[in-house]
Amino acid sequence: MSTSSIGQVLDLLMFGSLCVLILTGVPVIFLLTGCAIVFGGLGIAFGVFDTFLLAALAQRIFGTMTTETLVAIPLFVFMGMMLERSRIAEDLLEAMGRLFGSVRGGLAISVSVVGALLAASTGIVGATVVTMGLMALPAMLRRGYDKRFACGTICAAGTLGQIIPPSTVMVILGEVIAAAYQQAQLAQGKFSVETVSVGQLFAGSMIPGLMLVGFYILYQLVIAFLRPDLAPAIPREEAGRISSRELLNALVPPIVLIVAVLGSILGGVATPTEAAAVGAVGATMLAGLRQPGRAWPIHLAAACAVGLVVLGMMFDLRLGRAAAPLTDRVALAGAGVLVAGLTAGVVVALLRAFRGGVLPAVSHATMTITAMIFATLIGATLFSLVFRGLGGEETVKELLSAIPGGPMGALLAVMALMFVMGFFLDFVEITIIVVPVVGPVLLGMGLDPIWLAVLIALNLQTSFLTPPFGFSLFYLGGVAQRWVNTADIYRGVVPFVLLQLLAVATVIAFPGLATWLPGVLF
């Protein structure tokens, strides 16, 4: 057997072994590194793997840890956990329930709207599903909603944080797609490469994400119209009325934060990492407002933040200039005062969050989630290095090129593979295992990187809903065992999985849904 044939066999065995071992339930980080070490050793023994490649491992890991874009991950996680602990979701659910409750299926629509708002402000699937499972599910069941319909609605709404920006999956996917796109261009002999930013992916996922929310609500309205017994309306006198003040108090805080974070990214004012820092500070201030104490220090800090933005737009606030105009120096002095006011407000919010037990819990959760993501990234780096060293990229290219239908056939095959893997893996693992392998090949076939990334994100979202290892199913099952059983949850999500596949098919058929907004903004 030739050297290249041995390498191809080892590649296929390496990927197949990983897929089989995943079913054992061992943490993926250990499986990734273990497979890489075992098959790297076999490659060295058969003379098909160059040990010199391992010298690049430390540098690649260091590059991953120091990538500015990935710094946004712990910041977005912190923002989401802080908002979840500050009871934003509870206020939103109560307000939306009173607003839509008197409509058939109104509570289900409320859950979808709240899921979209929380997705754009927190992006934490587990926190959203658990919160809505504890609050919305009992209310829906008390009002006569079908168990399966209610469970499916809550699970699906909770996963919107994976496609509606800002989301951690888009940050990770953006970094992986950018590397794959660069690699594809270099393979084509283009040394002046184009890049893809996380901001472009955020813009690309906006319309498909909102379209998916529309699919959910349309389905809920149709079901409520055809089967009123599944989603009955609440009598208006029972639902109660909600005043404009109450509605604004529930809606304004998350919407302001969404505009501040997403608006700064899409408007080109800030990078995703800078916007994530703004979101983390804003979420901390909101959490401080929910704790006992006077509100004026935090309101003053918010006003100072707005003032800093206005000054930055009107004057040049760069420090260290030898001959700055008098107006700029006056503006710098004013900015210093505003920074002091902002700092004082943030310190007050942090102290209140600490005294209330919110800050320690949020910090611990942020550290745990971030460590899991980055540990998996490191394991995937070693796996990818060995896989490529054995000639895996050429093997994948040959396999995808042999699929009938050209680039579209290869794309559909990869989408099918990711959908099946979603039954056993979560989005982080699929993103950093599969995308680096198939991404350069698909992009080398001429596919648009933003379109491909949005399709992958939509596809990966189904991994939270597909049994047996759908994380949303576990989250809801963990808090709702007293009201529903596992069969209710599994059967309830089936229509929403089909709706997500419909969304994937729609974006495949109409690529402009993903590429139009980035083209306009960037």
Side-chain angles (χ1 to χ4, degrees):
M1 185 180 289
S2 65
T3 302
S4 60
S5 298
I6 295 174
Q8 285 184 341
V9 171
L10 289 177
D11 280 329
L12 295 175
L13 285 175
M14 183 179 181
F15 195 80
S17 299
L18 178 64
C19 294
V20 172
L21 289 171
I22 282 169
L23 301 178
T24 63
V26 176
V28 173
I29 173 63
F30 300 122
L31 298 180
L32 286 168
T33 51
C35 283
I37 291 170
V38 169
F39 283 91
L42 290 174
I44 293 171
F46 285 105
V48 295
F49 182 75
D50 189 351
T51 55
F52 179 75
L53 291 172
L54 295 176
L57 179 62
Q59 185 176 359
R60 292 181 67 173
I61 293 175
F62 181 76
T64 299
M65 296 296 102
T66 56
T67 300
E68 182 183 352
T69 304
L70 294 180
V71 176
I73 291 176
L75 292 172
F76 277 135
V77 172
F78 181 90
M79 179 182 79
M81 298 306 301
M82 187 65 80
L83 286 175
E84 187 267 331
R85 297 276 179 168
S86 61
R87 304 172 69 88
I88 293 287
E90 297 178 19
D91 291 350
L92 279 173
L93 275 171
E94 183 179 351
M96 292 298 102
R98 291 165 65 185
L99 185 64
F100 294 112
S102 58
V103 180
R104 283 186 188 176
L107 289 181
I109 295 170
S110 301
V111 168
S112 295
V113 172
V114 171
L117 289 172
L118 292 177
S121 54
T122 68
I124 306 297
V125 169
T128 303
V129 173
V130 168
T131 301
M132 292 198 291
L134 289 171
M135 292 192 60
L137 184 60
M140 295 173 82
L141 296 180
R142 279 199 308 269
R143 298 299 182 181
Y145 273 65
D146 179 75
K147 289 182 179 181
R148 298 169 188 169
F149 180 69
C151 291
T153 294
I154 291 172
C155 286
T159 65
L160 290 170
Q162 297 310 298
I163 186 63
I164 295 179
S167 67
T168 52
V169 65
M170 297 304 288
V171 175
I172 299 170
L173 188 57
E175 190 69 17
V176 174
I177 282 288
Y181 189 41
Q182 187 177 37
Q183 187 179 342
Q185 292 177 89
L186 291 174
Q188 294 172 341
K190 298 179 182 178
F191 297 101
S192 178
V193 297
E194 300 176 12
T195 59
V196 178
S197 68
V198 173
Q200 288 175 294
L201 297 194
F202 280 177
S205 63
M206 280 290 293
I207 294 176
L210 295 176
M211 178 189 70
L212 186 60
V213 177
F215 283 177
Y216 288 170
I217 294 176
L218 182 61
Y219 166 74
Q220 289 156 353
L221 287 172
V222 171
I223 286 295
F225 177 77
L226 297 177
R227 296 281 306 277
D229 57 305
L230 296 184
I234 304 174
R236 186 170 292 277
E237 58 273 11
E238 291 185 30
R241 294 185 178 276
I242 182 169
S243 66
S244 299
R245 182 183 180 86
E246 291 172 322
L247 186 61
L248 289 175
N249 285 339
L251 286 176
V252 168
I255 288 177
V256 168
L257 196 62
I258 291 167
V259 171
V261 175
L262 272 184
S264 60
I265 296 173
L266 301 181
V269 177
T271 65
T273 303
E274 293 165 346
V278 171
V281 170
T284 302
M285 292 166 64
L286 287 177
L289 280 175
R290 300 302 177 101
Q291 300 298 321
R294 295 182 178 179
W296 71 263
I298 298 175
H299 287 156
L300 178 62
C304 290
V306 174
L308 282 170
V309 173
V310 173
L311 280 180
M313 294 171 62
M314 297 176 62
F315 301 97
D316 187 349
L317 300 181
R318 289 176 298 166
L319 298 173
R321 288 181 295 158
L326 178 61
T327 53
D328 286 354
R329 281 181 284 170
V330 172
L332 276 170
V337 174
L338 293 177
V339 167
L342 175 59
T343 303
V346 172
V347 169
V348 169
L350 285 171
L351 288 174
R352 291 180 184 176
F354 180 78
R355 286 198 299 265
V358 173
L359 185 60
V362 168
S363 300
H364 183 269
T366 301
M367 180 185 67
T368 302
I369 295 172
T370 303
M372 179 272 294
I373 292 174
F374 277 88
T376 310
L377 279 171
I378 292 173
T381 299
L382 177 59
F383 183 90
S384 177
L385 188 68
V386 174
F387 187 81
R388 287 203 179 101
L390 293 172
E393 194 170 338
E394 289 301 317
T395 303
V396 171
K397 187 174 182 179
E398 290 176 10
L399 289 173
L400 292 180
S401 299
I403 295 174
M408 187 57 66
L411 173 66
L412 294 176
V414 170
M415 290 292 109
L417 172 64
M418 288 185 173
F419 178 72
V420 172
M421 293 186 73
F423 284 77
F424 311 104
L425 298 174
D426 72 357
F427 75 92
V428 175
E429 294 156 356
I430 298 175
T431 299
I432 60 183
I433 293 172
V434 180
V435 178
V437 175
V438 301
V441 179
L442 291 176
L443 294 172
M445 293 179 174
L447 300 183
D448 184 278
I450 298 174
W451 180 53
L452 177 61
V454 171
L455 285 174
I456 291 172
L458 279 170
N459 198 345
L460 292 181
Q461 191 179 345
T462 62
S463 68
F464 281 88
L465 296 178
T466 47
F469 300 130
F471 282 84
S472 284
L473 312 181
F474 283 132
Y475 294 142
L476 184 60
V479 298
Q481 290 178 347
R482 71 188 86 167
W483 304 301
V484 297
N485 56 43
T486 303
D488 293 325
I489 299 174
Y490 280 12
R491 296 179 69 176
V493 298
V494 171
F496 293 93
V497 172
L498 296 177
L499 288 173
Q500 289 187 332
L501 294 178
L502 175 62
V504 173
T506 304
V507 176
I508 289 176
F510 303 100
L513 291 171
T515 58
W516 174 77
L517 189 57
V520 171
L521 295 178
F522 296 91

